[in-house]
Amino acid sequence: SLHIVAKVTFSQEMAAKHVQYKGIKFPPGYNSVDSLCFAENEFQVRDDDIFNITYPKSGTVWMIEILSLILRGGNPAWNQSVLNSLRAPWFTTQLGLETAHNLPSPRLLTCHLPIQIFPKAFFSSKAKVVYTMRDPRDVLVSYYHFSKMCIPFGDPKSFNHFLERFLSGDVPFGSWFDHITGWMKLKGKSNIFFISYEQLQQDLCGSVKRLSHFLGKDLDEAAIASVVENTSFEAMRKNNMCNSTELPKEFMDQEKGTFLRKGICGDWKTHFTVAQSEYFNRVYQEKMWGLKETFLWEQT
Ligand code: A3P
C-alpha cells in the first residue's frame, strides 16, 4: 500500500475512542497498545538512526522534508517520488514499524512520543534526535484545524472547548507542556538538537546548515540552496509526497481543511480573544517557569 494508514478504516465513532497508553491518549486505528508497547520496550535502535521528534503540529512534516533532503545531499528526487511516511516512518504504528525495519541505514524515524515512553534502547545508543518545537498558541490553532480534517484525532468541537482540553493535556499525545519539559531535560547532550518552528521561519538557510552539521553532512552552498528551495511552504504544498493529499479520505478529509494550512507564525492572534490569551498566559507561566529557558515566541 502507498501509505501506512491506507489499510485502516476509520469512523467518527472510532475516533471518539482513543487508544490509552500509560495515561496518554493516542489516535486509534494505526496506534495500538501493542505497537506503542513494542516501540517503547523492544524497538531496536541503530547507532546511526536519526529521530525526528515533535509534539503534533510543530513542524513535523517540514522537518521530514528538510532531513530527507539533507541526507540526499540536496537532491530532491527522493522527496518528490516517495511518500514522507515511507522516508521517515512512524515506527510507533504497526505499518510504520515494518517500513522502519526494512529501511537501510541511516534511517529517519518520526514520532510524537513524550520522552517517558520513548524507545528504551535509544538511551544507550549513539542515535541522534532532532526535536522541533513551536509557539504553543500556534500549535493549538493548527491542532484545532487539523483535528477537523484528520478523522482519528476526533472533532474538536468549539475553539474554546479545544483550548481547555489543550491546556489540561486532554488531547492526543498528551500535554504540550509535559512534552517540552520532558524532552528539554536532555538539553546539553551532544546527540540531541533542539530547534523551533520560529527559527526555521526566521532563517531556514542557517537552520539547514546547522542541521547538516549536526548530522555530519556538511553540504556545499548549492546543496543547501536546494534544501531551502524544496522545503518552502509553496514547494511543499505542490509536492503530493508530503502535502497529505494522497492519504485516504477516511483518514484525512481534504474537504474539511488543508494540511499545509497557513504556514505562518502568530496565527493565534486571529483566533484568541483577550480573555483566552490571558488565561493561556497564566497556565503557560505556571507550567513553564521551572524550565529557566527563553523561547523566541515569548517575545510576541
Ligand atoms: P499551520 O496549520 O499553522 O499552517 P505538523 O507537520 O507537525 O503536523 O505541522 C503542521 C504545521 O506546519 C502546519 O501549520 C503547516 O502549515 C506547517 N508547515 C509545514 N511545512 C511548512 C513550511 N515549509 N513552511 C511553513 N510552515 C509549514
Side-chain angles (χ1 to χ4, degrees):
S1 85
L2 256 181
H3 190 267
I4 56 160
V5 295
K7 292 180 192 161
V8 188
T9 317
F10 295 98
S11 65
Q12 281 293 351
E13 207 175 309
M14 267 180 76
K17 297 195 189 81
H18 284 105
V19 171
Q20 286 276 349
Y21 184 69
K22 300 213 164 166
I24 308 248
K25 272 184 177 180
F26 293 87
Y30 56 105
N31 291 289
S32 67
V33 169
D34 284 349
S35 71
L36 290 159
C37 185
F38 186 92
E40 182 190 4
N41 297 298
E42 288 169 70
F43 185 68
Q44 302 218 345
V45 175
R46 303 180 195 161
D47 277 331
D48 50 9
D49 281 342
I50 301 157
F51 289 92
N52 170 34
I53 305 176
T54 53
Y55 185 81
K57 312 319 294 171
S58 304
T60 324
V61 170
W62 195 1
M63 191 52 76
I64 292 179
E65 297 310 298
I66 293 171
L67 297 175
S68 301
L69 274 150
I70 290 177
L71 287 191
R72 296 295 159 116
N75 182 344
W78 196 34
N79 290 48
Q80 289 170 356
S81 60
V82 178
L83 278 172
N84 57 4
S85 56
L86 299 176
R87 286 182 269 121
W90 297 80
F91 66 95
T92 61
T93 68
Q94 184 57 45
L95 286 162
L97 183 64
E98 281 172 32
T99 309
H101 278 151
N102 295 325
L103 276 185
S105 295
R107 297 185 295 189
L108 283 178
L109 300 161
T110 304
C111 74
H112 293 314
L113 288 178
I115 194 163
Q116 70 275 18
I117 48 186
F118 196 66
K120 292 203 164 83
F122 166 76
F123 298 94
S124 55
S125 78
K126 296 196 182 83
K128 291 180 178 167
V129 163
V130 175
Y131 187 89
T132 311
M133 57 195 129
R134 184 181 189 185
D135 184 333
R137 296 164 297 187
D138 287 337
V139 168
L140 162 60
V141 167
S142 183
Y143 212 166
Y144 167 72
H145 290 288
F146 176 75
S147 301
K148 293 188 212 167
M149 73 177 305
C150 190
I151 309 305
F153 281 74
D155 181 2
K157 305 209 180 84
S158 72
F159 182 72
N160 198 56
H161 178 73
F162 192 74
L163 183 136
E164 290 283 352
R165 282 179 49 208
F166 184 88
L167 288 178
S168 66
D170 181 25
V171 286
F173 301 98
S175 156
W176 178 89
F177 303 99
D178 293 351
H179 210 280
I180 294 286
T181 49
W183 278 102
M184 289 295 287
K185 286 186 192 133
L186 296 192
K187 205 170 173 212
K189 291 209 183 295
S190 60
N191 63 338
I192 177 156
F193 188 93
F194 291 95
I195 190 160
S196 67
Y197 181 95
E198 290 71 24
Q199 287 173 309
L200 293 174
Q201 287 277 10
Q202 214 172 55
D203 181 11
L204 185 55
C205 183
S207 301
V208 168
K209 283 184 186 162
R210 292 195 297 124
L211 280 160
S212 318
H213 184 71
F214 172 68
L215 299 179
K217 296 226 28 133
D218 282 310
L219 308 184
D220 63 26
E221 291 297 327
I224 299 280
S226 170
V227 178
V228 171
E229 185 188 319
N230 287 287
T231 56
S232 72
F233 187 67
E234 290 315 319
M236 282 179 56
R237 267 196 153 184
K238 286 190 205 121
N239 181 1
N240 288 347
M241 298 297 110
C242 72
N243 65 12
S244 101
T245 53
E246 298 288 325
L247 299 180
K249 190 173 191 296
E250 308 80 59
F251 178 77
M252 198 81 104
D253 188 343
Q254 308 288 341
E255 279 161 27
K256 295 199 176 130
T258 311
F259 172 69
L260 291 160
R261 193 183 58 91
K262 279 200 181 168
I264 56 168
C265 297
D267 196 32
W268 66 270
K269 290 173 192 162
T270 66
H271 287 70
F272 282 52
T273 63
V274 171
Q276 285 168 338
S277 170
E278 283 169 5
Y279 175 40
F280 192 100
N281 287 346
R282 270 202 307 282
V283 177
Y284 183 91
Q285 244 112 59
E286 220 171 83
K287 305 254 190 197
M288 299 292 278
W289 73 268
L291 208 53
K292 310 272 183 286
E293 187 69 47
T294 340
F295 299 99
L296 270 183
W297 60 75
E298 290 172 354
Q299 295 156 18
T300 58

